[in-house]
Amino acid sequence: MEKHIVKVLKTEFVTHNVKRFTLEKPAGYSFISGQATDVSINKPGLEDELRPFTFTCLNSDDHLEFTIKIYKGHNGITEKLLDVNAGDELILHEVFGAINYQGTGLFVAGGAGLTPFISILRQLKKEGKLEGNILLFANHTEDDIIVKDELDEMLGKNHIDFIAEPLSGEKGRHINKEVLKQYLNPETRYCYICGPDEFVSQMKTCLLELGVAEDRIVIEQ
């Protein structure tokens, strides 16, 4: 099994419970935006506890980056990542599948399901190919929105947030079949979905009912 021990160069919180890790990049290590790798912590007893995380940097960057939601309360790997900071080490493995960009489309993300789309959208920006892509992003509150300013800068009006429990007390908004129908248009060649399993299943069902061909719906593989 391919294995790379890499040093953590920097960590920072991008929301109250999402932590960004900037790492050394092993020589010759490459990936396609939307892909992931299994990661473990290089500390006694944790080396073999692997969890998949998506790269949020670009392959052309001289470093690697992961943007990881921390789940507290069940002593899992993400909770242990709270204690991983600059100078510590992570172990990376082979790059694998996840979501690959296939053409202009509608991106539908729930919470931390945004992460594969971060690298894809950054790559499209670099290539000047953002036009026509739309992101619908569902979160519980405004405080949960990951890299909001960057999404606004990249996509402008084509970044639309749906907040279930707005801090303002306004009525919550959810992504449903009517919303998807509103944002599907002739330029929508593909629909990309990522988020919790139930969210992905619901969104896929809605798109199929709206007549989107199954081979045009891209989910994590």
Side-chain angles (χ1 to χ4, degrees):
M1 179 185 291
E2 183 180 345
K3 183 184 291 187
H4 303 274
I5 297 174
V6 297
K7 185 171 290 187
V8 178
L9 303 175
K10 180 182 177 182
T11 67
E12 58 191 320
F13 277 89
V14 295
T15 75
H16 61 101
N17 63 352
V18 175
K19 189 174 182 181
R20 178 188 290 142
F21 296 81
T22 303
L23 317 172
E24 293 177 328
K25 185 176 184 179
Y29 195 78
S30 65
F31 62 92
I32 298 169
S33 289
Q35 289 191 304
T37 186
D38 285 319
V39 178
S40 58
I41 301 171
N42 194 28
K43 292 183 179 180
L46 297 178
E47 302 97 331
D48 296 323
E49 290 196 38
L50 278 60
R51 296 293 183 277
F53 295 112
T54 309
F55 302 100
T56 51
C57 53
L58 301 182
N59 185 55
S60 57
D61 291 339
D62 62 0
H63 61 274
L64 296 176
E65 178 190 287
F66 297 98
T67 305
I68 298 172
K69 185 172 182 179
I70 306 297
Y71 294 92
K72 297 182 181 179
H74 49 75
N75 200 33
I77 286 300
T78 67
E79 189 167 8
K80 292 181 173 68
L81 285 168
L82 273 175
D83 298 323
V84 171
N85 293 296
D88 292 325
E89 293 176 337
L90 297 179
I91 305 172
L92 309 184
H93 298 81
E94 293 99 337
V95 171
F96 61 85
I99 291 181
N100 291 327
Y101 183 74
Q102 299 182 39
T104 306
L106 180 66
F107 290 80
V108 185
L114 178 75
T115 53
F117 299 158
I118 294 175
S119 181
I120 290 172
L121 293 171
R122 287 174 172 173
Q123 184 66 38
L124 292 175
K125 178 185 176 182
K126 181 178 179 181
E127 296 173 1
K129 296 179 179 178
L130 279 171
E131 187 174 354
N133 289 287
I134 297 172
L135 170 66
L136 309 181
F137 190 13
N139 285 283
H140 288 296
T141 75
E142 294 90 338
D143 288 345
D144 296 316
I145 303 173
I146 302 170
V147 298
K148 176 175 172 56
D149 290 345
E150 183 178 3
L151 294 173
D152 286 340
E153 188 273 327
M154 287 194 291
L155 294 169
K157 62 180 176 58
N158 285 338
H159 163 216
I160 303 99
D161 288 313
F162 292 80
I163 307 301
E165 300 174 9
L167 300 174
S168 63
E170 296 178 2
K171 185 178 179 180
R173 301 172 68 211
H174 300 268
I175 303 174
N176 54 31
K177 187 157 79 169
E178 287 305 308
V179 167
L180 293 171
K181 182 178 180 181
Q182 177 185 348
Y183 287 99
L184 288 171
N185 61 59
E187 292 183 22
T188 309
R189 295 173 57 199
Y190 293 92
C191 294
Y192 304 88
I193 315 169
C194 193
D197 290 345
E198 184 177 356
F199 176 86
V200 172
S201 178
Q202 290 175 348
M203 295 300 104
K204 182 176 180 180
T205 298
C206 289
L207 289 168
L208 290 171
E209 291 175 355
L210 288 167
V212 178
E214 188 158 8
D215 63 359
R216 297 287 173 164
I217 299 173
V218 184
I219 61 175
E220 284 188 301
Q221 301 295 328

